[in-house]
Amino acid sequence: MRFRDFNRNIKIRILEIFISRFIGSMIFPFMAIYLADHFGETLTGILLSLNVIIEMAAGLYGGYYADQHGRKKIMAVSETLRTIAFIIMAVVNSPWIQLPWITYMMMTINSICGGLSNPASYAMLIDISTPAQRKLLFSIRYWVINFSFVVGGIIGAFFFKTHFFELLLVLCCGAAFTTILIVFFIDESYVPSIEKQKERFSLIYIFKGYQEVIRDRLFILFVLASTLVFSLERQLTGYIGIRLSQEMESQQFLFWRIDGVEMLGILRTENTILVVLTGFLVVKIIQKFSDGKVLLTGVALFISGYTTLCFSNNIWPELFTENQKLIITSGLPSLFSFIVLHEKNEKRVHFC
């Protein structure tokens, strides 16, 4: 299986994913710092939490709509609204006007659009790929996302404070380009039945689909644990990012001096590089040990790593902490990717 054998939609989607993640990683990981400067740390935390909740709620509707009316329509509408929101963000953060509340509202619209379009975009990749293609497809997607984070994170770290408006202009251009790709070059991958299209939107219908999952107690515990881990990881661009920008003084790092914002960019870049380079190696190494021991070791290092990041303002301990934490935890997805339950000699695997 080769990349050129993929459906045209997949090739365009990979390009669109790279562009959108690349331009987004130049700005959004640092927006907590922007909001904290205008609203304070406490209100910023509330606003960002509200943003996540709104995105999750939008995701419930996005998946339902994609099944009812097809994938492309909701993706096209979401990307168009996202582009308009980015243009407004650029206008209200221009050299002539500063309106942080409007900026936050546009961030919220971006989150809503992401929640609406993500289920459809994932479903489209499934629609147009075969089981034999998906391993390569999602491997490529994983690498493209991480590479875009590396490059975009470095650019954002060094230009966010001094060239925020220019970065927003790049964001607008990139979003407009991805909208054109989706509207004019991607084909619909799923045409629902007439009966399906005539169904009215119903929250009861949506939640019925989750009833079977909710009955699985172990799976729900796993989802809860995964959510808590994810929320902790988000602190790198939330609380930790704000703390570094406010408390970390300029320090010498190799051949140049960096401040807290630039340090955040370096940590994100190191994070991504380590995940990409060590993931397969760690999976191979941990196979020699029991899952329980590896899990406990990984969790211990994970906690100690984030504890250090929450208090240290020195470059080298933070770099070492990120290194130790990720070398171990990059192998944990192999443990968390499935739960095997034995019930009446029947093995059930839940993929997450």
Side-chain angles (χ1 to χ4, degrees):
M1 181 58 59
R2 296 165 296 182
F3 180 76
R4 67 183 182 182
D5 297 328
F6 285 137
N7 182 288
R8 188 186 74 160
N9 272 18
I10 293 179
K11 298 175 183 178
I12 296 175
R13 284 284 296 124
I14 293 296
L15 174 61
E16 182 263 328
I17 288 171
F18 172 77
I19 294 173
S20 60
R21 299 301 176 97
F22 167 67
I23 58 177
S25 62
M26 293 192 301
I27 294 177
F28 290 106
F30 308 96
M31 286 305 295
I33 299 172
Y34 170 93
L35 295 176
D37 288 342
H38 289 89
F39 303 130
E41 294 87 342
T42 302
L43 183 56
T44 294
I46 296 173
L47 293 176
L48 291 178
S49 299
L50 181 62
N51 223 308
V52 173
I53 295 172
I54 292 174
E55 182 174 356
M56 292 173 59
L60 292 175
Y61 178 71
Y64 173 83
Y65 190 93
D67 284 340
Q68 190 176 22
H69 298 287
R71 323 303 191 197
K72 179 177 176 178
K73 185 176 180 179
I74 193 167
M75 291 171 61
V77 171
S78 297
E79 286 302 316
T80 301
L81 291 176
R82 196 197 304 256
T83 302
I84 295 173
F86 292 159
I87 293 173
I88 295 176
M89 278 185 67
V91 171
V92 299
N93 287 280
S94 65
W96 309 280
I97 188 173
Q98 298 287 320
L99 298 174
W101 273 112
I102 300 297
T103 301
Y104 172 73
M105 291 173 61
M106 295 306 105
M107 288 177 60
T108 303
I109 292 177
N110 174 58
S111 296
I112 294 173
C113 292
L116 292 174
S117 64
N118 283 339
S121 63
Y122 275 106
M124 176 175 283
L125 292 179
I126 299 298
D127 292 338
I128 57 182
S129 63
T130 65
Q133 292 177 325
R134 286 169 194 158
K135 184 175 182 180
L136 176 60
L137 167 60
F138 285 99
S139 295
I140 293 175
R141 181 181 179 277
Y142 174 80
W143 280 76
V144 166
I145 289 175
N146 280 279
F147 179 71
S148 64
F149 280 164
V150 170
V151 181
I154 292 175
I155 294 175
F158 288 94
F159 293 101
F160 182 82
K161 291 179 66 175
T162 57
H163 295 82
F164 182 48
F165 176 64
E166 289 78 3
L167 290 179
L168 287 174
L169 293 180
V170 174
L171 184 67
C172 294
C173 294
F177 181 68
T178 57
T179 301
I180 292 173
L181 287 178
I182 292 174
V183 173
F184 296 104
F185 295 96
I186 285 183
D187 300 321
E188 179 59 77
S189 64
Y190 171 74
V191 180
S193 64
I194 301 298
E195 293 77 12
K196 189 73 173 176
Q197 296 181 40
K198 290 181 178 180
E199 287 181 2
R200 292 185 178 182
F201 172 73
S202 172
L203 288 176
I204 296 177
Y205 176 83
I206 293 176
F207 286 113
K208 278 185 178 179
Y210 292 97
Q211 285 182 348
E212 184 176 349
V213 176
I214 293 174
R215 294 191 189 102
D216 194 326
R217 179 175 174 274
L218 183 57
F219 182 72
I220 293 300
L221 289 174
F222 167 77
V223 171
L224 177 60
S226 300
T227 302
L228 293 174
V229 170
F230 175 72
S231 65
L232 182 59
E233 289 179 338
R234 288 289 292 267
Q235 297 310 307
L236 182 59
T237 53
Y239 165 76
I240 295 173
I242 295 172
R243 189 189 66 78
L244 289 175
S245 69
Q246 295 180 346
E247 298 180 6
M248 181 176 172
E249 298 179 355
S250 177
Q251 300 178 34
Q252 189 69 29
F253 176 65
L254 300 180
F255 303 107
W256 65 90
R257 296 188 67 82
I258 62 173
D259 58 18
V261 177
E262 294 165 344
M263 186 64 201
L264 173 61
I266 291 174
L267 288 174
R268 280 179 50 81
T269 301
E270 182 191 12
N271 184 309
T272 305
I273 291 176
L274 284 172
V275 168
V276 172
L277 296 183
T278 66
F280 297 110
L281 175 62
V282 172
V283 169
K284 186 175 181 179
I285 293 174
I286 64 177
Q287 290 176 349
K288 302 176 182 178
F289 305 94
S290 69
D291 289 351
K293 291 181 179 179
V294 173
L295 178 60
L296 291 176
T297 303
V299 169
L301 290 174
F302 193 83
I303 294 173
S304 65
Y306 271 102
T307 300
T308 302
L309 291 174
C310 286
F311 295 99
S312 174
N313 288 321
N314 188 281
I315 293 175
W316 297 109
E318 291 183 353
L319 290 175
F320 174 76
T321 293
E322 198 70 10
N323 186 294
Q324 93 169 6
K325 175 171 63 68
L326 282 169
I327 284 180
I328 297 298
T329 57
S330 61
L332 291 181
S334 66
L335 298 175
F336 285 132
S337 60
F338 60 88
I339 302 175
V340 179
L341 301 178
H342 295 277
E343 293 184 359
K344 299 180 181 179
N345 298 320
E346 177 185 357
K347 181 182 289 185
R348 298 191 292 132
V349 182
H350 299 280
F351 290 95
C352 309

